[in-house]
Amino acid sequence: MRLWDLTATDTGGRNTQTVIGDTTKAIYQEPNLRYRADDEQRTLMSGQILLRGLFGPELLSSGDEEAAVIRLHTADYNKDVLVINGEVCPKVVDLQNAAYDSEEFKKWNETSAEVKLLREFAKDELGLDKIPPSMLDCLMTTACTDRSLPDTLNDYDGSLGPTSWEENAESNTDKGIYSNMFERMVNYVVKEHNFPLKYNQSALPKLGMGPLWKEIMANIDPILNNEESDSPPPKLALFSGHDTTIMPILATLGEDVWSGFEWAPYASMMLIEVYEVADADVDESEYQSGFAFRLIYNGDVLTSKMDGCSSELCDIENLLDQVLPFAKYEDRDCASVSPVTPPTDEKSEDLMTEMKSATETLIQSPGGVGVVFGLVLISAALGSVLTCFCTRRRYRKAYHYSDSLKLNELSMSGVGDDNYRESTDSIESAVSAYGATQRELEEKDRYENSLI
């Protein structure tokens, strides 16, 4: 079932002359559809499945002789912006560290009775010195593939659900101090991960997801601004990403849109629908721009939770006011104030310091430069001799192996008595063409052995 007709002709409405899509192209072709995904197999397949469900009849009607081709826009994974990427914008690492170093996080993470209990549980029952961020994936993949969990974690019943930051151990003692441990462990890891996304008015996701918002708005702006272009805006722009794409995007839309307590479920979907207000009976003062939008997340309409919005549809100017200040790429301030230096092994660092000190002392001593120069020459000479020795031995072995292999392969092709002479001639001519006769090979071996 389709909620709207993507195949309908659009010739511009009451408030715009912009034509959306191209009626001369198939609905799944650009510019009618713009498909964007990162270079990850699971995201590509998620988009493919969704598009197959949307455009099944059109894709099948292309016929067996013609394959339906949908253009995909992607990027190198380590440089893509569908998630917050510290390689592209190093400053996001600073913002994340600032969140974890904040008094607000420390108060929750170090003094919360719930967190203390969970750490004791992890140490006493699971043998973990700390709760790793990978705990969420570990628990979920184990449960979803019907594999065995430790008995102390095998208590999921769905009764607890996401919990707020103020949740503490005392509120979970109805069934015993170690009850609902699966959900409680999940809730802790989710809140620890998502804290930086909500901290400081979501400064981290606003900076990190700015380029993606710029891509999203590039599909909306031409409709709102009546922009003339050789390529009209798409009827549908699909971005196929990750849970770590959807959550920071939601965080940028305002304090009340997303709590941060719940992880984006599998196969989550966020929709931004753009409407042209063409009904004469609608109060135009509510939609002064002439356009409205609706925000939907996993079937729930969240528009009214955004600032300036009170109903299911809201003037799109409110969306622009919210996201345009940070919907940028080149103009972002991504300079890190604390460049990350790779960790070094203390023993290796001490050894390098000692070697450097010894070298400096040797150079400064009388005749030290000559000694260093002599050592360099000796090292180069020894290296050359060893390289020559190893190369000769390897070449000689490879030469014998290649020749014997060539002869064996050729001789097997002439087994019959009638073709014996023909096969023998072919072997001799092949050996000669390959580089040497058998006698020459024996002489070459004796010469190389005398050298070695």
Side-chain angles (χ1 to χ4, degrees), residues 195-241:
F195 181 86
L197 302 181
K198 298 288 290 182
Y199 177 73
N200 192 20
Q201 298 180 327
S202 299
L204 169 61
K206 286 178 181 177
L207 180 64
M209 304 308 289
L212 179 54
W213 268 117
K214 184 175 182 178
E215 288 191 42
I216 294 172
M217 296 309 299
N219 300 299
I220 298 176
D221 285 339
I223 301 173
L224 309 181
N225 300 325
N226 296 336
E227 295 180 1
E228 294 185 4
S229 174
D230 295 335
S231 179
K235 290 189 174 186
L236 173 65
L238 172 62
F239 295 81
S240 184

Side-chain angles (χ1 to χ4, degrees), residues 149-162:
L149 284 163
D151 291 339
T152 51
L153 280 173
N154 194 21
D155 61 356
Y156 176 79
D157 60 9
S159 62
L160 186 59

